[in-house]
Amino acid sequence: MTPLARLLVERIRETGPITVADYMAECLLHPVHGYYTTRDPFGAGGDFTTAPEISQMFGELLGLALAQAWLDRGSPAPFTLAELGPGRGTLMADILRATRTVSGFHEAARLTLVEASPRLRDVQAVPLATYQPSWIDRVQDLPETPLFLIANEFLDALPIRQFIRGPQGWQERLIGLRDDQLTFGLSAPLPQVPDTPAFRHAPEGALVEDNLPARHAAAEVSTRIARHGGVAYWIDYGGWRSQGDTLQALRNHAPDDPLAHPGEADLTAHVDFEPLAALAQTFAWDTQGAVLTRLGIDARAERLARNLTGAALESHRAAHRRLTDPSEMGSLFKVLAMTSAGAPPPPGFA
Ligand code: SAH
């Protein structure tokens, strides 16, 4: 049993079963034993890799998209350039490098990073040192200014609750104990559940996931964009409407039982973009492959390929495929762009 599993078993023994969201929050961000608080999980040595760690092209193209959106909105100054859950800081470093020559963009940008893990803040400080970032704990603390924001694989790490529509109504999936081991169970029927399309349209027997922190984050961002202008790009795996049980654990690059190694495995859930899009004044959404293609990834890939040979060229070509091919990340990953009413369309969409 992991040290966190022992703590959770004790807690449940004393105070009863916990929600999937409580469990996820403890596993990911427990101050001593949490997955993100104790390690840098990215890259070949870690448990998973993300688009910016696969290729510099991802950050370069999205950086130029943000800068184009800023120009299209009359180059507001100052503005907040924000990232939620910046991981190793690679995506923001690529964004800043690609936009160096956009006149006035860096001068007007106030770089703000929302990051819960002190350990990862230290990692992010290294590639971003020259840009003097400020770190904040919560999306609610974003300043009231024009906002140009990116969040890649942030929403999937936020704690979800799971509900099942049984014959007597909605019940919540809980984590309790059987023979002193963590196990899934169900709450008594609930008087009410969140009022989103996934709940309204669920047939009997369906499992629906709700990501309340994601809805809160999207509402905070959308309100600022409505007030002050700007654009937000949310990139993640998921779809339109809750997809059933998508809670998954990843440990040493391999799938794991979500209850088996609390604190030592990454826990995520697919993102339901529908209730998030509903919070925007205006939104656009498409697959990652389609958006990167419209932003010019094929031409950028060809340019970079000119300076490469042998194994480096092979791995560059593989990275291009991995980001865009429908059988890899191209269609599982989606991009939701939020803008204000009447604003120019966000770059990267038809
Ligand atoms: N965007 C990065 C990393 C994604 S992993 C990339 O694409 O590589 C998720 C990131 O979100 C990590 O930096 C993690 O520490 C952070 N995070 C997770 N939950 C958070 C929360 N509730 N508040 C702030 N940051 C959080």
Side-chain angles (χ1 to χ4, degrees):
M1 223 189 257
T2 67
L4 183 58
R6 270 191 281 277
L7 292 180
L8 290 169
V9 167
E10 242 170 70
R11 169 174 165 189
I12 293 169
R13 213 184 275 135
E14 279 173 24
T15 61
I18 59 175
T19 65
V20 173
D22 287 339
Y23 178 74
M24 267 185 96
E26 292 287 9
C27 288
L28 296 178
L29 293 171
H30 184 281
V32 181
H33 303 296
Y35 181 76
Y36 284 113
T37 29
T38 53
R39 70 198 75 209
D40 168 1
F42 308 100
D47 292 321
F48 59 91
T49 183
T50 57
E53 304 296 336
I54 291 169
S55 168
Q56 66 185 75
M57 295 188 289
F58 185 77
E60 290 171 348
L61 295 168
L62 285 159
L64 292 171
L66 285 172
Q68 185 61 54
W70 177 74
L71 292 167
D72 291 344
R73 283 156 182 74
S75 313
F79 74 94
T80 302
L81 177 61
E83 182 173 359
L84 311 183
R88 278 184 172 165
T90 309
L91 173 55
M92 189 48 79
D94 290 339
I95 288 174
L96 289 163
R97 194 188 55 255
T99 54
R100 233 172 3 203
T101 55
V102 178
S103 173
F105 188 69
H106 282 201
E107 291 73 11
R110 304 286 172 271
L111 182 56
T112 304
L113 308 173
V114 178
E115 175 56 66
S117 158
R119 174 99 214 274
L120 286 175
R121 285 186 183 198
D122 291 343
V123 175
Q124 294 153 15
V126 178
L128 301 175
T130 52
Y131 302 101
Q132 298 172 313
S134 348
W135 280 270
I136 56 177
D137 287 327
R138 306 170 325 151
V139 181
Q140 297 93 289
D141 302 329
L142 281 170
E144 291 287 341
T145 64
L147 178 61
F148 294 78
L149 176 141
I150 192 148
N152 184 58
E153 292 210 40
F154 170 73
L155 298 169
D156 68 61
L158 299 179
I160 54 143
R161 294 169 69 187
Q162 295 186 321
F163 300 86
I164 291 169
R165 183 167 208 162
Q168 295 122 51
W170 286 102
Q171 290 170 283
E172 180 160 11
R173 203 167 181 222
L174 298 176
I175 294 159
L177 300 177
R178 183 183 301 132
D179 302 330
D180 275 342
Q181 301 289 321
L182 299 173
T183 184
F184 285 110
L186 284 178
S187 76
L190 301 168
Q192 74 180 47
V193 290
D195 184 27
T196 67
F199 286 92
R200 287 199 292 273
H201 298 285
E204 194 175 311
L207 185 150
V208 171
E209 295 180 335
D210 184 54
N211 192 332
L212 183 63
R215 288 194 279 126
H216 281 162
E220 292 288 336
V221 167
S222 164
T223 310
R224 279 170 185 71
I225 290 174
R227 279 194 206 124
H228 310 287
V231 71
Y233 286 91
W234 308 87
I235 306 131
D236 229 305
Y237 45 93
W240 198 258
R241 187 90 29 113
S242 171
Q243 311 282 307
D245 179 12
T246 71
L247 182 67
Q248 59 182 42
L250 208 59
R251 186 167 177 256
N252 304 328
H253 285 276
D256 195 24
D257 174 344
L259 301 186
H261 301 98
E264 292 176 5
D266 185 38
L267 279 185
T268 64
H270 282 42
V271 175
D272 174 7
F273 285 94
E274 185 179 32
L276 309 180
L279 296 163
Q281 278 190 335
T282 310
F283 73 90
W285 109 296
D286 209 333
T287 62
Q288 173 173 299
V291 171
L292 292 179
T293 301
R294 283 193 210 101
L295 291 176
I297 195 169
D298 295 340
R300 181 66 185 137
E302 280 317 306
R303 258 207 74 84
L304 289 170
R306 276 188 229 152
N307 304 321
L308 299 171
T309 54
L313 180 60
E314 277 312 298
S315 109
H316 169 65
R317 296 249 186 257
H320 179 197
R321 259 197 316 280
R322 194 151 168 213
L323 293 181
T324 54
D325 198 278
S327 69
E328 305 215 36
M329 297 169 80
S331 43
L332 174 62
F333 280 72
K334 312 293 191 306
V335 186
L336 170 67
M338 290 181 168
T339 60
S340 52
F349 293 85

